[in-house]
Amino acid sequence: MSYRHAIHSKNLVAIVYLLVALAMHFQAPIRLPEHVSVQLVVVKKREGILQTAVVTKELTSTTEMMMGRFERDAFDTLLDHAPDKLNVVKTSLITFVNKHLNKLNLEVTELESQVGGINC
């Protein structure tokens, strides 16, 4: 079963897994506990007989591994050393994005509200 199907069928473990992944990806200002896992009892019926298995799914690992994915990038350096240049970068980024979005008859006018995941 795919995660998308599991989420649509209201599989609680798949939904929690998605929420943890989103929190890590967007660097949510929360501290996730380390080494959280869940044990699932999987029941299958084969030839009229119920077969069970216990499967362990890891939701979080160590803090270093979870946060290690988010290394500082050029935008972090820009904010640290030349915050006055941020508006120039924003304008250039909007121009670049609109150049490609115009092909789809779309346009961005404000990065903060229209482009997800950017906190300027």
Side-chain angles (χ1 to χ4, degrees), residues 19-20 23-24 27-36 59-67:
L19 291 173
V20 169
M24 289 188 316
Q27 301 179 27
I30 58 173
R31 186 177 179 278
L32 295 172
E34 295 183 343
H35 303 294
V36 175
L59 296 176
T60 64
S61 57
T62 64
T63 301
E64 291 81 25
M65 288 184 70
M66 289 186 291
M67 298 309 286

Side-chain angles (χ1 to χ4, degrees), residues 11 17 35 45 51 55 64-66 70 73-74 77 84 104 107-108 118:
N11 179 313
Y17 189 81
H35 303 294
K45 188 174 184 178
Q51 297 177 339
V55 178
E64 291 81 25
M65 288 184 70
M66 289 186 291
F70 308 110
D73 60 15
T77 304
D84 54 309
L104 302 172
E107 184 179 20
V108 171
I118 295 180

